[in-house]
DNA sequence: TAATCTATTGAGTGACTACTCAATCACAAA
DNA sequence: TTTGTGATTGAGTAGTCACTCAATAGATTA
């Protein structure tokens, strides 16, 4: 799966033959179909696993933070840090996400569980007057896309990561977009 | 090219055989290669054309607006309106954008010309104290990704488009993210 | 040891695909 | 009418790919 991930990001999953995957992994061509019914099945599994890992990473350390703004900031930094640390996985998820494959993936229960947890957290922050009182889909959307954008920007210019003023400015933009 | 666009968005460009394109366009299989050297060439041309159209659409009516906030709001609404009106084209650009094909496309001169025009416009707004004094890449990035996100949200829930309060709220988030 | 199961191999196959090319067609200039 | 030029056709080709399967290796249990 690690071999597949690398090749998918480098060449795209449609231009990556299963033969290339097995060769890159140092195994035979046939064994791939012992573990995955089809190539699509491999892609699907890889996507789900990666996306779950990503969503879980966003919640690390949440119990240590009290203030809503603090929680919000932690999710924000967890998210982009994980993305930057795992650029290959991140790019893979994005690639799948913008391909016509996803439709059937969206409703997966394990994904749904994690996203609804976040939805309710945001909902309560709105009601507490901490976040803008706007439709939750809008807030979640801004939330999501600003982080995606930040990861892609830092991915292209890695030196920004060590630039504390830059990070603070990015946070300020993000927070201003959401706060009440 | 219209036929190709539709199929690419529906099935992805790697899963769309050239034979399907010509059939859908009601022409023979061979003629496609009379106008385009390869299938990649067709994709590339389609992408460039669409992206240029998109960038141009963002600047429509700019001469009629005076205030910087007004200009900003116009670009914003031009952008998402064009995206929503041309969802197929928009999805296609996004699909290409997140595939490993783009690298060679980025530096195309006609694209570069339009983006630098926008970069300087934003730069002057920063210096005039209208926009946040943060690195321009960050501002442009937020700009770009918030619009992408809005188009995808309205694309999924078209009824939002007629919802004036929703549009105002979206603008408020967008503006708060950028304003000084 | 024998028997049973799973893991692994890699040559082989049928289906599909990007692209070619010789032939025809449409049309306009001489 | 003749000649020339580009548009169009579609059957054909060489190559690629996902997937199969019979055979082997290895591990586990009785």
């Amino acid at each position: 799966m690690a071999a597949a991930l690398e090749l998918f990001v480098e060449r795209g999953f449609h231009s990556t033959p299963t033969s290339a995957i097995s060769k890159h992994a140092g195994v035979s061509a046939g064994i791939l179909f012992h573990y995955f019914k089809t190539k699509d099945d491999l892609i699907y599994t890889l996507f789900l696993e990666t996306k779950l890992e990503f969503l879980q990473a966003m919640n690390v350390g949440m119990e240590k933070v009290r203030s809503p703004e603090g929680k919000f900031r932690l999710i924000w930094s967890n998210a982009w840090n994980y993305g930057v640390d795992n650029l290959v996985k991140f790019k893979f998820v994005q690639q799948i996400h913008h391909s016509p494959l996803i439709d059937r993936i969206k409703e997966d229960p394990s994904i749904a569980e994690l996203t609804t947890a976040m939805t309710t957290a945001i909902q309560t922050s709105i009601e507490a007057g901490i976040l803008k009182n706007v439709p939750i889909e809008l807030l979640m959307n801004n939330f999501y896309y600003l982080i995606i954008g930040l990861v892609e920007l830092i991915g292209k210019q890695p030196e920004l990561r060590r630039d504390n003023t830059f990070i603070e400015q990015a946070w300020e933009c993000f927070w201003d977009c959401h706060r009440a």
Side-chain angles (χ1 to χ4, degrees), chain A residues 115-127:
Chain A
T115 45
T116 51
M118 219 150 89
T119 313
T120 51
I122 289 186
Q123 185 68 55
T124 50
S125 292
I126 293 177
E127 281 157 13

Side-chain angles (χ1 to χ4, degrees), chain A residues 25-71:
Chain A
V27 293
S28 76
I31 194 62
L32 210 146
F33 297 91
H34 180 68
Y35 291 99
F36 304 97
K37 250 173 78 98
T38 63
K39 185 187 177 186
D40 269 10
D41 186 34
L42 165 64
I43 298 177
Y44 180 82
T45 309
L46 201 49
F47 176 77
L48 258 192
E49 202 173 86
T50 313
K51 182 136 195 185
L52 269 177
E53 196 180 313
F54 187 66
L55 286 171
Q56 278 159 356
M58 286 175 65
N59 287 306
V60 170
M62 281 301 278
E63 66 287 349
K64 291 181 188 162
V65 182
R66 285 272 151 258
S67 79
E69 185 179 338
K71 276 178 188 283

